Amino acid sequence: LLDHQTALFSKERNKRVFLRKKLKMEGKEEDVKLGANQFAERQPLGTAAQTKDYKEPPPAPLFEPEELKSWSFYRAGIAEFIATFLFLYITILTVMGVNRSPSKCASVGIQGIAWAFGGMIFALVYCTAGISGGHINPAVTFGLLLARKLSLTRAVFYMIMQCLGA
């Protein structure tokens, strides 16, 4: 029984090797496995990285005056203001506490400063991503404006609120 199973396994393996060699010899298609599935799918070479499984949203309009009438526009600005304010308040106080301590062992040290910055960015982006996108930084907002992911109205408002929060 064991020899029979080994022979079947070997025969199936040889068949798969032969099919792979045949596909490679054609030069135009490759063998693509679907996860743990053993069924092969034929796909032209070079197209795996080019196909997207999502649809790109259309570019944001440059100026949209209707945004000025919506509450979500102002709520997003308030979220950017609070996030920038809290980020700078907590991180600068952490740095000041380390500098004013009598010895480095009595404070959180350099690693504590790094954790304060990273932790604040993590928490604030998590909290504000659903409201405003969680930019916190005017440079991020400007980059999204250049990529046409934000309208000029929203980008300028975000930058003003971020600078006021700072």
Side-chain angles (χ1 to χ4, degrees):
L1 181 67
L2 202 54
D3 289 334
H4 180 66
Q5 288 177 343
T6 307
L8 285 176
F9 177 74
S10 179
K11 191 183 234 184
E12 186 65 30
R13 184 178 164 279
N14 289 340
K15 189 187 291 184
R16 279 186 281 164
V17 169
F18 173 74
L19 288 173
R20 281 194 190 125
K21 284 181 182 178
K22 184 179 176 184
L23 289 172
K24 283 182 183 178
M25 288 172 27
E26 289 177 9
K28 294 183 180 177
E29 296 179 347
E30 65 183 346
D31 184 27
V32 179
K33 291 200 180 194
L34 302 173
N37 198 342
Q38 293 296 320
F39 301 106
E41 175 187 303
R42 298 174 87 169
Q43 178 174 338
L45 280 175
T47 59
Q50 295 171 359
T51 58
K52 295 180 182 178
D53 60 347
Y54 63 93
K55 197 171 189 178
E56 193 72 32
L62 188 60
F63 181 69
E64 196 170 352
E66 292 297 317
E67 281 186 322
L68 298 171
K69 297 177 185 172
S70 71
W71 164 242
S72 64
F73 175 76
Y74 295 104
R75 185 178 70 158
I78 293 167
E80 288 293 325
F81 172 83
I82 292 172
T84 307
F85 175 77
L86 285 174
F87 174 70
L88 289 172
Y89 186 78
I90 299 297
T91 55
I92 289 174
L93 282 179
T94 304
V95 172
M96 287 172 57
V98 169
N99 286 339
R100 290 193 179 181
S101 66
S103 71
K104 297 299 178 197
C105 293
S107 68
V108 293
I110 300 297
Q111 191 172 14
I113 294 172
W115 277 102
F117 273 83
M120 287 305 294
I121 286 288
F122 171 76
L124 294 171
V125 168
Y126 183 81
C127 291
T128 60
I131 301 169
S132 66
H135 305 173
I136 300 175
N137 188 340
V140 173
T141 305
F142 185 68
L144 290 170
L145 171 67
L146 292 179
R148 303 264 326 255
K149 302 294 182 190
L150 287 175
S151 68
L152 180 64
T153 312
R154 190 169 286 263
V156 169
F157 183 61
Y158 281 9
M159 286 187 221
I160 289 170
M161 295 304 279
Q162 289 161 351
C163 290
L164 288 174

